[in-house]
């Protein structure tokens, strides 16, 4: 352990020597392909402002709920990790103290993809030469902090360093898209794209809904006082996103339900919501209806529709009250797709202008529901393993469960879906390695020729992601 | 890619050299065993008439929904593939044009079992020496078409060529069984067996139900004007199937429910159905009740009861309206077995004359429900991986999930469940290879002796299928 | 097959030579660690009385439902295997006849963990040198019977021979704990620990409930005539268990529901139950409420709370009527955790004094629900693969599905959960081998360093089990 920390060139490739040798060749053909990141959550301001990142704790620890949740599970608290105060506990102000706690907990990440991503970023991006631990925390902190001061570590420079050909941000439906306009002026218009995310506008019983409607009305310059105006305002904003280069919409509902309501009922529920008198059942029905309407609009304007249902948000009430959403307390729940997606697919699944990409955190449905659906409807593609499933073994299970029914042509290509900017190269690299390993096994088992495997690997790593999100 | 197309002798065997060597020996012991195909859907007329097959497109493309659905998912249409017309699109009449479209889409089958089956049939049965592609489509078409003209490629000759010891067809409950009688006259009575399939008669709210009842009444020569006559007519026809050599019944319900109704309620629902006044709930309850009754009749007459629930048929309405059922739009849905099968198993699961084989397309239930049930009830056997799961990795998952709880003695042996006659050797060959690989791993991990593995492999490939479907 | 029966030193290690070599080293570091068995069902009387075991059939066949259920599935009957009489069939009295039936059915255990455990016990504990079969049954019987007469095969001697550092029994909530007191007098107080199992007291609609309440009242010396007295009596008995060395409670509900009732409703239902007027829905709600209350008491008294839901008991009515519970007819059913555990985790999941260990027989929930929950709530740990899942491939799937989200630090360590005392060394050995194989793959794929793998293996095999069940 005293030799300098390096990463093994064969990491995450299969152990069997026959398969590994084939996997190496396949991986060699994809490892240097540019990164296409068509679904992610890096804040657009980072690229628009191009300001230096903060300290190592602010870059790596505080905003990464994969990381903080693991330390919380082991007895750390969010305030001690720099995330908000509670009534009884003040937030840690010293980034070095946060960093030490993280490094002291390094061993808890064994066997997780967080470990892989962090290793990759530390060694390959920041030149760290020691493994994290209580003893090495300060030295690593200093090393990372020093690099962060360099202009080469500004966000736009990293786009080049990471070889990111195109990256999509996620933006509220009412976004002004000013940051994207600034980026376009600076020549980044084809490289940093907005994504239309209307969730808070489609869930009419959320506390924030009225405020969201006001923001939408202002952005679209439409008075949203009834249902048809609401649809119109959404259409206006979608058009604006298309003009700003958007390729897709993004929908994170709890349920996959897409049952349409008749217009009168939709109008009635919308009016009730405006009057503050909507029930939970009505709100739920309305959100399913609006997925159907979003699909209809996608047929019109060509925005790819992305759906990732099935996560019960904010499972614990006290952390939610103290720290807000996205703090690691979102837990998957069983999700049905076959019946839920039927209305949408029956109506639009053969529409030539419609592209529908579905993600899941419930891997049971890969072979039972999603692969059979993607394997027949021309509009539908199966998204990449998502969130809790973006890990080596889970990605392998995805390939094994989906491919035999859906083939490779019905998959959307890899997306990283992350707000952890520095983990993007690691995530794509890991996906390419896992795919190389899976394809190598098919080759070793004489189920695929080597030249076919290389072509498929390039599709999955790069070409499919581009092709699945065409310009509207 | 310019050398002639051959199939690697080790295809679908494990990559690890240690395991592969063991797998080769196990596979060598099963590869030449005769084929027992006790559950399938090859039309009996093919064997009764022994007419030549049509052109290559009619043999391989048009009737195979595994194949057409994949091409549809990539933008082809069913009419362009020879399947029916729509109001706006005429069906393709030129088999060569269909064939070219199929060959041009060859790459979409990468990683699917369709690819394996087709490769096997093309190379081993039709002597094709070039991989399918737009460039080679015509040459392959000519090659296959030429062979199809030869008498060696008539259905009965292929029974010998494929070494099919026995094959079961699927026949409506009201079938006259004349084709089977003709086959018996020609000496094929023990080789081509009918299977009793009463589904359309058990779902009293289907549009076709009244017509089916009339067909049943005529076939059984029983006036089916009330429930008891209905049961009697079913009994008469089951007896006729037994006399014609049938070994089994086949049941493809959406739900696995087997809850019996009391006689009065069953009579009431049946009368309501005859009067055209049945509700969906009543119809569903009646179909569950009738599974219970079918089990009771199996205890009486010895027909093995096969149940494969869980597929939501005709997911898209427009293709169903235009082209009818079985066009690739059947999608699995989550299916419960533990509670659903309890009434049937509690009543008949220990009956010495009852044999009950259950298939699934919902692989979640392998380890959770089906293996535990098959592992205690003497009447129940767990069927082979079915439909979307009849692929190398899915079959391996089935073995891994079912064996540790149910062992090998509670499995029914492989069935191919296909209407694609020329894929039958390929399907059995693939299953034997996958089983050889699974068993080889157990041997390599010293969890089984080699001689035991060879015995089990022969059971799974041949002996269990015979034993699981005994003559009543 | 004529050479003496020995067990291969590499059994259950991965086949790939690279991985196996690493696995051997990891396993070498854990194989001699003491056994910590913190969740099991060996009767306390065995240790308290230290009487010799009965004959081989009474030790190995009659009480082991893993074993008898498999033979029943193949046509044996429980009476012929020594388990109870029915109206028409007398129980077999001759242990040698039972033993012969078991040996004759040896092949049905191929591929199951029962086979592994029995092999281990026969060869390593009883020195058997022939494989079981109809031919060898008598010789093996004599060999095992002879050993059982020796004082080295008394239960307390076997504790030493098996190197069991500590073992927990399962005891009714009203247990007098006299056997544990006797053990404490003999110096076994820290080695054989009681576990508080209140299930029959929490299900107010079971036939035995009133008797259980009487037993509780007597044990706690509290008049249990209303709800608060009931809680008080439970508290008294929990305290008594703590004083007797208990570390944990154990809860085997059908559902994972933990929704609390308000006090008035709980009082009302309890009173209705005492009056014999409780409904099934009320009883079910009350059982969920009581899990919540048990968690609250665990926060007070420090007993670790173990929950293993999801098994539908006594699936077949006739065997239940004839032979009672635990005869192999318990079948898993789909189980929801994310929503069900939310009330309990929201209330107590961050409580510093609370430890909550969850097991499952529904492996779908590993990656979807249990790993995400254990990976954030500090109180929760994910238990070992349980019951139908305590087998090599199922344990591997558990590691692969849980680790990437929960890491290793959120797992409770292995528990054997068995009443088959002589299988305990085999079960721990098998788990250590499977973990060594899993960890070896991570090392071979450069996802973990070898020294880390060795540390984790020791945690999983020994240290985590100790740490997860701390002294209150």
């Amino acid at each position: 352990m005293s030799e300098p920390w390096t990463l093994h060139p064969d990491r995450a490739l299969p152990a069997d020597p026959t398969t590994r040798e084939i996997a190496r060749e396949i991986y060699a053909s994809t490892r240097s392909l540019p990164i296409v990141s068509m679904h992610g959550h890096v804040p657009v301001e980072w690229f628009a402002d191009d300001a230096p990142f903060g300290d190592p704790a602010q870059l790596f620890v505080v905003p990464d709920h994969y990381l903080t949740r693991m330390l919380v599970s082991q007895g750390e608290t969010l305030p001690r990790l720099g995330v908000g105060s509670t009534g009884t506990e003040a937030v840690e102000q010293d980034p070095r103290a946060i960093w030490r706690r993280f490094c002291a907990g390094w061993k808890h990440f064994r066997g997780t993809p967080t470990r892989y991503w962090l290793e990759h970023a530390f060694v390959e991006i920041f030149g760290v030469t020691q493994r994290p631990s209580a003893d090495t925390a300060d030295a690593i902190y200093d090393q990372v902090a020093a690099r962060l001061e360099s202009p080469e570590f500004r966000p736009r420079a990293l786009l080049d360093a990471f070889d990111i050909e195109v990256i999509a941000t996620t933006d509220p439906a009412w976004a002004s898209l000013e940051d994207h306009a600034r980026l376009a002026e600076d020549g980044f218009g084809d490289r940093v794209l907005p994504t239309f995310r209307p969730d808070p506008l489609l869930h009419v019983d959320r506390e924030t809904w009225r405020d969201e409607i006001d923001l939408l009305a202002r952005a679209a310059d439409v008075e949203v006082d009834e249902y048809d105006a609401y649809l119109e305002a959404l259409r206006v904003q979608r058009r604006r996103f298309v003009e700003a280069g958007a390729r897709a919409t993004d929908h994170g509902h709890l349920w996959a339900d897409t049952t349409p309501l008749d217009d009168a009922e939709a109008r009635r529920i919308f009016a009730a919501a405006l009057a503050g008198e909507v029930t939970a059942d009505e709100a739920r029905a309305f959100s399913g209806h609006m997925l159907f309407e979003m699909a209809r609009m996608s047929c019109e304007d060509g925005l790819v529709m992305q759906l990732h249902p099935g996560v019960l948000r904010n499972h614990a009430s006290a952390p939610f009250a103290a720290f807000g959403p996205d703090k690691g307390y979102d837990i998957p729940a069983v999700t049905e797709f076959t019946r839920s997606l039927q209305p949408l697919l029956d109506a639009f699944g053969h529409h030539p202008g419609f592209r529908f990409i579905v993600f899941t955190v419930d891997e049971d449905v890969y072979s039972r529901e999603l692969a059979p659906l993607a394997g027949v409807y021309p509009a539908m593609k199966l998204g990449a393993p998502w969130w809790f499933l973006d890990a080596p073994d889970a990605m392998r299970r995805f390939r094994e469960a989906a491919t035999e029914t859906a083939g490779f042509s019905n998959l959307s290509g890899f997306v990283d879906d992350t707000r952890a900017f520095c983990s993007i190269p690691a995530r794509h690299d890991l996906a390419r390695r896992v795919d190389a390993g899976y394809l190598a096994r098919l080759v070793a088992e004489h189920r695929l020729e080597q030249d076919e495997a290389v072509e498929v690997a390039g599709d999955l790593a790069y070409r499919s992601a581009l092709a699945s999100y065409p310009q509207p």
Side-chain angles (χ1 to χ4, degrees), chain A residues 61 67 71 81 98-106 109 118 122:
Chain A
V61 182
L67 195 157
L71 297 177
L81 296 171
I98 297 168
W99 189 258
R100 284 178 189 149
R101 283 167 198 146
F102 155 60
C103 289
W106 180 248
F109 298 99
L118 290 169
F122 287 167

Side-chain angles (χ1 to χ4, degrees), chain A residues 166-320:
Chain A
V166 55
I167 186 167
T169 64
T170 310
D171 307 86
W174 41 256
S176 70
L177 302 175
E178 278 169 18
D179 284 326
H180 284 93
R182 262 201 292 160
L183 281 161
E185 282 165 26
D186 294 355
F188 285 84
D190 296 334
R191 201 164 178 193
V192 182
L193 310 175
T195 303
F196 183 81
R197 177 88 181 235
D199 292 351
L201 286 159
L202 310 188
H203 291 85
V204 297
D205 60 347
R206 289 201 191 153
E207 279 186 30
T208 59
W209 183 71
R210 278 307 310 253
D211 295 340
E212 292 275 334
I213 288 289
D214 291 344
L215 289 162
L216 173 69
R218 200 167 319 143
D221 199 19
V222 171
E223 194 182 355
V224 181
D225 52 359
E226 42 82 52
Y227 174 69
D228 295 279
Y230 164 73
L231 293 187
E232 176 55 21
L234 288 167
R235 274 202 182 85
V236 166
Q237 282 300 102
R238 290 175 64 110
R239 220 149 37 221
R240 191 159 293 162
F241 271 72
V242 169
E243 283 155 16
R247 307 277 180 94
T249 70
D250 186 21
H251 305 272
H253 290 214
L254 174 54
W255 315 97
D257 175 45
T258 62
T259 311
L261 304 171
D262 64 37
D263 279 358
E265 177 68 358
R267 284 195 189 99
R268 193 190 65 71
I269 293 178
F270 188 85
L274 279 185
E277 291 165 353
V278 78
T279 67
D281 282 352
E282 287 169 339
R284 182 172 159 182
F286 191 83
S287 72
H289 166 75
M290 284 307 297
L291 285 184
F292 189 91
E293 290 301 316
M294 288 292 110
R296 188 200 305 278
M297 292 187 197
S298 278
C299 293
E300 296 164 9
D301 63 23
L303 285 172
V304 175
M305 180 170 182
Q306 302 177 103
L307 178 63
H308 43 70
V311 180
L312 189 69
R313 307 279 172 170
N314 312 312
H315 196 265
S317 58
F320 179 58

Side-chain angles (χ1 to χ4, degrees), chain A residues 36 41 98 129 150-151 157-158 170 185 214 240 253 397 460:
Chain A
V36 173
H41 303 297
I98 297 168
T129 56
S150 135
L158 288 178
T170 310
E185 282 165 26
D214 291 344
R240 191 159 293 162
H253 290 214
R397 289 197 297 273
L460 296 176

